[in-house]
Amino acid sequence: MLIVLDPQISPAQRSAIDETIRAAGCSIAEMPSRRGLLLLVDGDLDRLRQVPLKVFAGVSKVVGLSKPYALNSREHQAEPNVVKVGDARIGGGSLTVIGGPCAVEDRETLLAIANEVKASGANLLRGGAYKPRTSPYSFRGLGLEGLLMLRDVGLETGLPTVSEITDPRHIEACVSNVDMVQVGTRNMSNFDLLVEIGKSGHPVLLKRGRSATIADWLLAAEYILAQGNPNVVLCERGIRGFDPAMRNTLDLAAIPAIQARSHLPIIIDPSHATGVSAYVPALARAAIAAGADGVIIETHTDPTRARSDADQAMLPADFRDLCEDLRLMHRVANRSIDA
Ligand code: PEP
Ligand code: MN
């Protein structure tokens, strides 16, 4: 249960509320929010529901909450959340396109790709520096050196940056060098990492775990919000299917399913969903038609030299065409196209 307190609440009114909640056997966690102080109440909620908390002086709102992911639910906040990343804004009806290589490989290649991403009208630059790989023998990224390259190229091109974080020990390095941190599919349930990102307040792109249910995913987001960080964007990147023809199975139904439950923005990653660059445009267009807030797409100036995920990297010219299609599709989906 969530209780929103009146900012003018007196100490006596506050004590009366706290005592009543505790007397019903419930615990209280406090959280500042844009709407005032929030009390997150847990425990014997059935017993607490017998108490008319709404009429207590100092209470502005009580949110009953039928779901355990309280802070990111529509019950708590009906209007969509908008997450600011550098100069970009994700959610709330705008279209966000994130482009860039799977991994930062060297400065020259990254700059060439970033210039193409920028010229295509995309909004953010991606590039992995800490790469979680299925095989320990695969290229695992340049680490801090890669992050610094991404930062410099982002500044040079004027593109806000996003890069993956894999370890709570890298928080300081990631937060001070990139505009948004990405939690990859393999780390969606790394709860210690989620808590640290929550404490940092930094914008985060939270990918869906490979076998996570919608509820698992929203609860992972809740870990970040519960630390007072509302800047979470969800990313569907395909779930494990049975068919090796595709790297994963893109769950497009996750878009309306998330939007029905949560106010967090949701974007789609058609690159990791399919693993095949030729399939990416169709799924990206479908994602925007289905109401996603954006897409994140891997692109490379020379996929033959890519050190990871070469098969799914789009060439710059194809990426540019796709960005145009997506802008058109977004206008159609939002019914703002001229007759
Ligand atoms: C990535 O974005 O490069 C990545 C590794 O993504 P995922 O966690 O979705 O596999
Ligand atoms: Mn990749």
Side-chain angles (χ1 to χ4, degrees), residues 124-185:
L124 279 94
L125 176 66
R126 64 151 288 148
Y130 296 101
K131 300 293 306 170
R133 303 304 300 278
T134 302
S135 162
Y137 306 117
S138 304
F139 174 57
R140 296 180 62 203
L142 299 179
L144 182 59
E145 196 191 347
L147 272 189
L148 298 179
M149 283 180 199
L150 184 66
R151 179 199 62 188
D152 291 349
V153 168
L155 289 173
E156 197 168 328
T157 51
L159 288 167
T161 53
V162 53
S163 195
E164 182 160 357
I165 182 164
T166 54
D167 187 321
R169 290 171 298 184
H170 301 156
I171 282 278
E172 183 46 39
C174 290
V175 161
S176 52
N177 290 306
V178 294
D179 298 294
M180 181 180 224
V181 291
Q182 171 179 315
V183 174
T185 194

Side-chain angles (χ1 to χ4, degrees), residues 251-318:
D251 179 12
L252 278 179
I255 300 166
I258 288 292
Q259 288 168 342
R261 290 162 175 78
S262 175
H263 53 75
L264 297 179
I266 173 167
I267 70 167
I268 296 293
D269 174 348
S271 306
H272 291 88
T274 59
V276 182
S277 61
Y279 303 165
V280 167
L283 292 186
R285 289 191 298 263
I288 301 307
D293 296 293
V295 288
I296 177 166
I297 291 172
E298 288 188 351
T299 169
H300 201 290
T301 42
D302 184 359
T304 64
R305 286 179 41 235
R307 297 184 70 186
S308 58
D309 288 349
D311 291 348
Q312 67 196 35
M314 288 188 78
L315 287 164
D318 297 334

